[in-house]
Amino acid sequence: MFIILVEANQGMKIDSVDERILEALKADSRASNVSIAKSLGITEGAVRWRIKRMVESGIIRRFTAEISGGAATFAILMIKAKGETKKMMSEIIALKAHRDAYEISGEYDACVILEGSSVEDIDRKIDVIRKVKEVAETRTFISFGKW
């Protein structure tokens, strides 16, 4: 199955046509621009331009494949910041060790989703994140299976 990762609006205004394109891509990220255009009653060029604009603005973060068969190991890394959470998150994001990353409220300041080929791969990514100066504390949860 192919999936599309969509980020909350990054300041770019999206309209109902953009929202319908996103819904079509979420339902089937392999859908062609032509098929989306036909279903929405607009041109293929309009769909292509709108998708490009949403990718460039960061609303669509990436298109990726989700592989079945347990090939990947997942972990949730909860993080407390020493100081400024946004600064810490910027440094973590720059490492490109994460699948997803969220600033959150509560006991922890951030939640980072990690994906790797093994527990050892996840452990290496955690070690890299822990070296970020702004990271005060981490707590790790390893996934044993997907339901």
Side-chain angles (χ1 to χ4, degrees):
M1 165 176 39
F2 285 86
I3 57 175
I4 178 174
L5 296 175
V6 178
E7 186 67 41
N9 193 324
Q10 298 292 311
M12 179 185 129
K13 299 279 189 221
I14 62 171
D15 60 18
S16 63
V17 175
D18 291 331
E19 289 174 0
R20 291 171 59 203
I21 290 170
L22 289 173
E23 289 304 315
L25 289 170
K26 286 182 199 176
D28 179 7
S29 67
R30 296 186 71 190
S32 70
N33 291 347
V34 171
S35 68
I36 294 171
K38 283 182 183 177
S39 72
L40 299 180
I42 61 177
T43 67
E44 180 275 337
V47 171
R48 186 173 7 96
W49 177 79
R50 285 171 176 268
I51 291 173
K52 180 179 187 273
R53 184 174 51 104
M54 287 187 280
V55 168
E56 289 173 351
S57 72
I59 289 173
I60 297 176
R61 288 198 354 226
R62 67 181 180 244
F63 296 85
T64 187
E66 185 175 88
I67 310 299
S68 64
T73 300
F74 295 92
I76 299 169
L77 185 63
M78 305 300 289
I79 306 170
K80 288 184 182 179
K82 284 182 185 172
E84 186 182 331
T85 302
K86 289 184 183 350
K87 181 179 179 187
M88 177 188 74
M89 292 303 289
S90 293
E91 292 176 19
I92 289 171
I93 298 306
L95 298 171
K96 299 194 183 290
H98 67 290
R99 176 180 173 150
D100 291 299
Y102 305 94
E103 183 176 348
I104 61 172
S105 64
E107 183 179 351
Y108 290 89
D109 301 303
C111 173
V112 176
I113 311 300
L114 302 172
E115 178 179 10
S117 58
S118 65
V119 172
E120 291 79 15
D121 188 26
I122 296 288
D123 188 43
R124 280 189 292 278
K125 291 178 180 185
I126 293 168
D127 287 344
V128 167
I129 291 171
R130 284 181 176 155
K131 288 179 183 174
V132 170
K133 190 171 86 172
E134 295 294 319
V135 171
E137 178 184 324
T138 64
R139 186 164 190 186
T140 306
F141 302 89
I142 301 288
S143 169
F144 294 122
K146 184 175 179 180
W147 293 81

